[in-house]
Amino acid sequence: MTMRRLGAASAALVLTLGLAACGSDDGGGDGGSGGDGGDSIKIGIKFDQPGLGLKEGNTYTGFDVDVANYVAKEMGKTDVQFVQAPSKQREDLIATGQVDLIFATYSITDERKEKVSFAGPYFIAGQDLLVATDAKITGPKDLDGKKLCSVTGSTSADNVKKEVPGVNLQEFDTYSKCAEAVSKGQLDALTTDDTILAGYAAQDQYKGKLKVVGAPFSEERYGVGLKKGDTELCEQVNEALTKMVDDGEWDKAVEKNFGPAGFEVDSETNPPKLDTCS
Ligand code: GLU
């Protein structure tokens, strides 16, 4: 934890000394699986969700990216490596150690908790619909027999299968592919979190063509995915999340990333109270 206060040269020196001491010190330092006490950390994010996790060249932007960078910094990690974490692969990426943490519009669910643990929640979103500007769809009740798009391994696909059994659901691996299909009129609607939908609706290529219906029908509590049972890491992340809210950086990240899309954050549910790590 003291590492982040040191300059690069002294940090490198401490790292060298740290490595030399490792054999007798049982890893030492901040421990846990979040980069094994080194100064690098692998974080899973989305690469194609504007406002949340977006990769453009070597630049990463979005609310998830900002929260991830804040938490990593608090953990003393100076080298953050972002890894693409499509919805369906998130549990496996964590279980196999390909990522240390996931910040990827990742809803906390009991089913997922069988395979991974979660810090947070750090945001609460709601499932909604993205449709053509002139479409008559106003909610799930209008979806019977319609061609709906969502993503494999998401709560969005699961919820809608239960809610509207009569819908013709097409599942892709990313939401950006769904948005494109809806904009071309190949499919009637895309369903996922309102945060994600607002990001697409505000993109230049979709402005005036796509709209968010604006009637959320679920509660999506975004957690930070981590290795199942790593309570120490979970608590470290929660400590950083608490600090981010307290020092105003969480608010700034919300404004910076959701403001431009005109997405109104529900301040009754946000920022949410953290769950206990277990
Ligand atoms: N928050 C939902 C989920 O975790 C939908 C968004 C996503 O797939 O990332 O499944």
Side-chain angles (χ1 to χ4, degrees):
M1 289 301 274
T2 47
M3 290 273 282
R4 72 194 137 84
R5 281 194 284 272
L6 302 171
S10 10
L13 180 65
V14 171
L15 183 64
T16 316
L17 295 173
L19 284 176
C22 249
S24 58
D25 195 26
D26 197 24
D30 49 14
S33 55
D36 294 328
D39 57 8
S40 72
I41 188 162
K42 294 180 295 271
I43 297 185
I45 58 163
K46 294 296 181 77
F47 277 10
D48 70 327
Q49 294 179 190
L52 289 146
L54 186 68
K55 181 179 194 283
E56 290 168 300
N58 288 325
T59 308
Y60 300 91
T61 54
F63 182 68
D64 282 341
V65 171
D66 286 349
V67 180
N69 277 326
Y70 186 100
V71 169
K73 196 169 167 220
E74 284 303 308
M75 290 171 65
K77 307 294 178 186
T78 48
D79 173 25
V80 177
Q81 291 156 28
F82 286 118
V83 176
Q84 186 170 21
S87 296
K88 193 178 166 19
Q89 293 174 32
R90 291 176 292 201
E91 288 85 26
D92 277 352
L93 286 169
I94 293 170
T96 55
Q98 291 176 75
V99 299
D100 300 304
L101 297 174
I102 286 192
F103 295 75
T105 56
Y106 197 12
S107 299
I108 301 173
T109 69
D110 287 343
E111 198 183 334
R112 289 172 180 166
K113 275 199 214 162
E114 285 171 20
K115 295 183 184 159
V116 301
S117 291
F118 289 97
Y122 61 93
F123 193 83
I124 296 185
Q127 183 169 354
D128 210 322
L129 297 164
L130 184 79
V131 297
T133 326
D134 57 359
K136 300 275 178 287
I137 296 170
T138 58
K141 61 170 178 35
D142 300 323
L143 289 176
D144 233 5
K146 292 280 194 304
K147 283 183 259 168
L148 179 68
C149 196
S150 199
V151 161
T152 44
S154 68
T155 55
S156 324
D158 285 352
N159 291 343
V160 86
K161 277 182 219 164
K162 283 180 217 140
E163 191 116 351
V164 196
V167 75
N168 175 358
L169 181 66
Q170 186 113 14
E171 291 179 71
F172 290 169
D173 58 347
T174 63
Y175 295 107
S176 50
K177 288 183 192 161
C178 283
E180 201 185 326
V182 175
S183 79
K184 287 183 177 156
Q186 293 160 349
L187 299 172
D188 299 305
L190 154 59
T191 189
T192 188
D193 305 340
D194 45 10
T195 45
I196 302 172
L197 301 178
Y200 292 130
Q203 271 191 314
D204 280 345
Q205 75 256 42
Y206 300 136
K207 247 186 215 155
K209 292 186 184 162
L210 298 177
K211 67 174 181 195
V212 183
V213 164
F217 53 93
S218 80
E219 185 166 90
E220 305 298 321
R221 306 168 74 245
Y222 290 176
V224 182
L226 49 94
K227 193 149 234 154
K228 187 170 163 66
D230 195 339
T231 312
E232 192 185 326
L233 180 58
C234 175
E235 277 162 4
Q236 238 181 318
V237 172
N238 274 356
E239 210 176 292
L241 292 174
T242 302
K243 187 165 174 211
M244 189 176 185
V245 170
D246 288 350
D247 70 11
E249 289 299 316
W250 183 93
D251 269 328
K252 277 191 205 159
V254 161
E255 190 44 46
K256 175 179 145 205
N257 295 295
F258 297 135
F263 178 71
E264 298 228 354
V265 172
D266 181 353
S267 57
E268 281 193 8
T269 47
N270 286 294
K273 189 175 165 298
L274 300 177
D275 292 346
T276 312
C277 293
S278 59

